[in-house]
Amino acid sequence: MITFRKFGRLGRFGNQLFQYAGVRLYAEKNGFKFSLPHWIGYNIFENIKPQNRVELIISKFLPTRHLEDIASYNKIEKILYMIGFYKKLPPITSLAELYAKKENNISIYSYLQDPLSLQLIKENKDKIKNWYRFKPDIENKINEKVKEFKPWIGVHIRRGDYLIRPSLVVSLDKYKKFLQENFKDEQIFLASDDPNIHLEFKGFNIIKPEKPQGIRGDIFDFWMLSHAKAVIGGGSTFSWWAALLGGSDYYSPPLTHLWHNGYDPIIRKIDLFYEKN
């Protein structure tokens, strides 16, 4: 069985979409069973099954395979190693090596956003889009609420945790300038963790459809982005996945993990799979 024991504790919703897809692809391509801990995807997507109790127990005993895109040890473990408490640090491997070995009964630990992961997502895009198809009741509830607003341009502006890391923030002026030059006459839906973000976009045709009861705000935002005519993002995995699932044109800097020190993010039309900074 293939699992991701710390699934849900390494990044938010967009990162989890990468991790679920990466683990499931690895398992299915090698003929292995897979099982992941509970997450919001079980409640909103039609073709994702929850982990049962037996699978949960088994997963606790599987060895971890740390992939090379993230350190396989924390600072405390490194200090313990340096003073001789640990004989060695946990090993790091690559996704390519994992596929070559076809190792079963492991727990993967990774962001799964490396070039090979992106290539596999591209090659299996239709299959993954089917996994991430919204449940009919959610699709119908939201569609009924927003049908009068169609079509719209979806804009994702992440603040929250990004504000403590200014190097990851695309300025509002860049968003407004891009919209003014390319979509000034379009209806705009703003998806953001800042509830007052619409106040910064006076002069634009901002729509604010009512969210159906019982649906989380971030999931409503994700649905709206994935059903937009075009998606404008700031380099987050959230808007990346919305554009992929919706088949929309994507305007954004590349994913933030590709940004180098001092990088000045530019909003432009990009290829989801191969664009570099």
Side-chain angles (χ1 to χ4, degrees), residues 8-32:
R9 287 181 278 171
L10 186 64
R12 303 200 295 187
F13 184 66
N15 286 311
Q16 291 163 20
L17 292 174
F18 273 107
Q19 290 157 355
Y20 180 92
V23 170
R24 185 167 177 177
L25 282 174
Y26 174 77
E28 291 191 354
K29 283 183 172 295
N30 289 293
F32 303 146

Short mmCIF file of all heavy atoms in Angstrom, two decimals, residues 8-32:
data_model
loop_
_atom_site.label_atom_id
_atom_site.label_comp_id
_atom_site.label_asym_id
_atom_site.label_seq_id
_atom_site.Cartn_x
_atom_site.Cartn_y
_atom_site.Cartn_z
N GLY A 8 -1.86 16.62 4.44
CA GLY A 8 -2.64 17.64 5.11
C GLY A 8 -1.82 18.50 6.05
O GLY A 8 -2.31 19.54 6.53
N ARG A 9 -0.56 18.09 6.33
CA ARG A 9 0.30 18.87 7.21
C ARG A 9 1.50 19.46 6.46
O ARG A 9 2.43 19.98 7.08
CB ARG A 9 0.79 17.99 8.36
CG ARG A 9 -0.30 17.68 9.37
CD ARG A 9 0.21 16.82 10.50
NE ARG A 9 0.24 15.41 10.14
CZ ARG A 9 0.80 14.46 10.89
NH1 ARG A 9 1.43 14.79 12.01
NH2 ARG A 9 0.77 13.21 10.52
N LEU A 10 1.46 19.37 5.15
CA LEU A 10 2.53 19.92 4.32
C LEU A 10 1.89 20.74 3.20
O LEU A 10 1.73 20.29 2.08
CB LEU A 10 3.40 18.79 3.74
CG LEU A 10 4.65 19.21 2.97
CD1 LEU A 10 5.63 19.93 3.89
CD2 LEU A 10 5.31 18.00 2.33
N GLY A 11 1.47 21.95 3.55
CA GLY A 11 0.82 22.80 2.57
C GLY A 11 -0.69 22.74 2.66
O GLY A 11 -1.26 21.87 3.31
N ARG A 12 -1.32 23.68 1.97
CA ARG A 12 -2.77 23.80 2.00
C ARG A 12 -3.40 23.11 0.78
O ARG A 12 -2.80 22.22 0.19
CB ARG A 12 -3.17 25.27 2.10
CG ARG A 12 -2.54 25.95 3.34
CD ARG A 12 -3.25 27.21 3.77
NE ARG A 12 -3.16 28.27 2.78
CZ ARG A 12 -3.59 29.51 2.98
NH1 ARG A 12 -4.11 29.85 4.15
NH2 ARG A 12 -3.50 30.43 2.03
N PHE A 13 -4.59 23.52 0.42
CA PHE A 13 -5.41 22.79 -0.54
C PHE A 13 -4.70 22.55 -1.88
O PHE A 13 -4.69 21.44 -2.41
CB PHE A 13 -6.72 23.55 -0.77
CG PHE A 13 -7.68 22.85 -1.68
CD1 PHE A 13 -8.26 21.65 -1.31
CD2 PHE A 13 -8.03 23.41 -2.91
CE1 PHE A 13 -9.17 21.00 -2.14
CE2 PHE A 13 -8.93 22.78 -3.74
CZ PHE A 13 -9.50 21.57 -3.36
N GLY A 14 -4.09 23.59 -2.45
CA GLY A 14 -3.41 23.43 -3.74
C GLY A 14 -2.28 22.43 -3.67
O GLY A 14 -2.12 21.59 -4.57
N ASN A 15 -1.48 22.49 -2.60
CA ASN A 15 -0.40 21.52 -2.42
C ASN A 15 -0.96 20.11 -2.26
O ASN A 15 -0.38 19.14 -2.74
CB ASN A 15 0.44 21.89 -1.20
CG ASN A 15 1.35 23.08 -1.45
OD1 ASN A 15 2.06 23.12 -2.45
ND2 ASN A 15 1.31 24.05 -0.57
N GLN A 16 -2.07 19.99 -1.56
CA GLN A 16 -2.68 18.68 -1.35
C GLN A 16 -3.16 18.07 -2.67
O GLN A 16 -3.09 16.85 -2.85
CB GLN A 16 -3.83 18.79 -0.36
CG GLN A 16 -3.37 19.09 1.06
CD GLN A 16 -4.47 19.60 1.95
OE1 GLN A 16 -5.66 19.42 1.67
NE2 GLN A 16 -4.10 20.27 3.04
N LEU A 17 -3.61 18.90 -3.59
CA LEU A 17 -4.01 18.39 -4.91
C LEU A 17 -2.81 17.78 -5.64
O LEU A 17 -2.93 16.74 -6.29
CB LEU A 17 -4.64 19.51 -5.74
CG LEU A 17 -5.99 20.04 -5.25
CD1 LEU A 17 -6.42 21.24 -6.07
CD2 LEU A 17 -7.06 18.95 -5.30
N PHE A 18 -1.65 18.43 -5.53
CA PHE A 18 -0.44 17.86 -6.12
C PHE A 18 -0.08 16.54 -5.44
O PHE A 18 0.28 15.55 -6.09
CB PHE A 18 0.73 18.83 -5.97
CG PHE A 18 0.86 19.84 -7.07
CD1 PHE A 18 0.53 21.16 -6.87
CD2 PHE A 18 1.31 19.46 -8.33
CE1 PHE A 18 0.64 22.10 -7.89
CE2 PHE A 18 1.43 20.38 -9.36
CZ PHE A 18 1.09 21.71 -9.13
N GLN A 19 -0.15 16.51 -4.12
CA GLN A 19 0.28 15.34 -3.37
C GLN A 19 -0.64 14.15 -3.60
O GLN A 19 -0.17 13.02 -3.80
CB GLN A 19 0.38 15.70 -1.88
CG GLN A 19 1.53 16.65 -1.59
CD GLN A 19 1.35 17.46 -0.32
OE1 GLN A 19 0.31 17.39 0.35
NE2 GLN A 19 2.36 18.23 0.02
N TYR A 20 -1.93 14.39 -3.58
CA TYR A 20 -2.87 13.29 -3.84
C TYR A 20 -2.65 12.73 -5.23
O TYR A 20 -2.56 11.51 -5.43
CB TYR A 20 -4.32 13.76 -3.69
CG TYR A 20 -5.32 12.66 -3.94
CD1 TYR A 20 -5.80 11.87 -2.90
CD2 TYR A 20 -5.78 12.38 -5.23
CE1 TYR A 20 -6.70 10.84 -3.14
CE2 TYR A 20 -6.67 11.35 -5.48
CZ TYR A 20 -7.13 10.58 -4.43
OH TYR A 20 -8.01 9.56 -4.67
N ALA A 21 -2.56 13.62 -6.24
CA ALA A 21 -2.37 13.17 -7.61
C ALA A 21 -1.07 12.40 -7.76
O ALA A 21 -1.02 11.35 -8.40
CB ALA A 21 -2.39 14.37 -8.56
N GLY A 22 0.01 12.89 -7.13
CA GLY A 22 1.31 12.24 -7.26
C GLY A 22 1.33 10.86 -6.64
O GLY A 22 1.86 9.90 -7.22
N VAL A 23 0.74 10.73 -5.45
CA VAL A 23 0.70 9.43 -4.77
C VAL A 23 -0.18 8.45 -5.52
O VAL A 23 0.19 7.29 -5.73
CB VAL A 23 0.20 9.60 -3.31
CG1 VAL A 23 -0.08 8.24 -2.68
CG2 VAL A 23 1.24 10.35 -2.48
N ARG A 24 -1.34 8.91 -5.94
CA ARG A 24 -2.26 8.00 -6.64
C ARG A 24 -1.69 7.56 -7.99
O ARG A 24 -1.81 6.39 -8.37
CB ARG A 24 -3.62 8.67 -6.83
CG ARG A 24 -4.68 7.75 -7.44
CD ARG A 24 -6.06 8.32 -7.31
NE ARG A 24 -7.04 7.46 -7.98
CZ ARG A 24 -8.36 7.68 -7.99
NH1 ARG A 24 -8.85 8.73 -7.36
NH2 ARG A 24 -9.17 6.85 -8.63
N LEU A 25 -1.05 8.47 -8.69
CA LEU A 25 -0.43 8.10 -9.97
C LEU A 25 0.66 7.05 -9.76
O LEU A 25 0.75 6.07 -10.49
CB LEU A 25 0.16 9.33 -10.66
CG LEU A 25 -0.82 10.26 -11.39
CD1 LEU A 25 -0.10 11.50 -11.89
CD2 LEU A 25 -1.51 9.54 -12.55
N TYR A 26 1.51 7.28 -8.75
CA TYR A 26 2.59 6.32 -8.48
C TYR A 26 2.01 4.94 -8.16
O TYR A 26 2.49 3.92 -8.67
CB TYR A 26 3.46 6.80 -7.32
CG TYR A 26 4.50 5.78 -6.91
CD1 TYR A 26 5.65 5.60 -7.66
CD2 TYR A 26 4.31 4.97 -5.78
CE1 TYR A 26 6.61 4.64 -7.31
CE2 TYR A 26 5.25 4.02 -5.41
CZ TYR A 26 6.40 3.86 -6.18
OH TYR A 26 7.33 2.91 -5.84
N ALA A 27 0.99 4.90 -7.32
CA ALA A 27 0.39 3.62 -6.94
C ALA A 27 -0.27 2.93 -8.14
O ALA A 27 -0.02 1.73 -8.39
CB ALA A 27 -0.64 3.84 -5.83
N GLU A 28 -1.08 3.65 -8.88
CA GLU A 28 -1.82 3.02 -9.97
C GLU A 28 -0.89 2.59 -11.11
O GLU A 28 -1.11 1.53 -11.72
CB GLU A 28 -2.90 3.98 -10.48
CG GLU A 28 -4.02 4.18 -9.47
CD GLU A 28 -5.22 4.91 -10.05
OE1 GLU A 28 -5.14 5.37 -11.22
OE2 GLU A 28 -6.23 5.04 -9.34
N LYS A 29 0.13 3.37 -11.39
CA LYS A 29 1.04 3.01 -12.47
C LYS A 29 1.86 1.76 -12.15
O LYS A 29 2.32 1.06 -13.04
CB LYS A 29 1.97 4.18 -12.81
CG LYS A 29 1.32 5.28 -13.63
CD LYS A 29 2.30 6.37 -13.98
CE LYS A 29 1.67 7.36 -14.96
NZ LYS A 29 1.34 6.75 -16.25
N ASN A 30 2.02 1.48 -10.86
CA ASN A 30 2.79 0.30 -10.45
C ASN A 30 1.91 -0.84 -9.95
O ASN A 30 2.42 -1.86 -9.48
CB ASN A 30 3.79 0.71 -9.37
CG ASN A 30 4.92 1.56 -9.91
OD1 ASN A 30 5.75 1.11 -10.70
ND2 ASN A 30 4.95 2.83 -9.51
N GLY A 31 0.60 -0.66 -10.03
CA GLY A 31 -0.31 -1.73 -9.62
C GLY A 31 -0.43 -1.89 -8.12
O GLY A 31 -0.79 -2.98 -7.63
N PHE A 32 -0.15 -0.82 -7.35
CA PHE A 32 -0.22 -0.88 -5.90
C PHE A 32 -1.54 -0.27 -5.40
O PHE A 32 -2.13 0.58 -6.05
CB PHE A 32 0.93 -0.11 -5.25
CG PHE A 32 2.30 -0.57 -5.67
CD1 PHE A 32 3.35 0.34 -5.79
CD2 PHE A 32 2.55 -1.91 -5.93
CE1 PHE A 32 4.62 -0.08 -6.17
CE2 PHE A 32 3.82 -2.34 -6.31
CZ PHE A 32 4.85 -1.42 -6.43
#
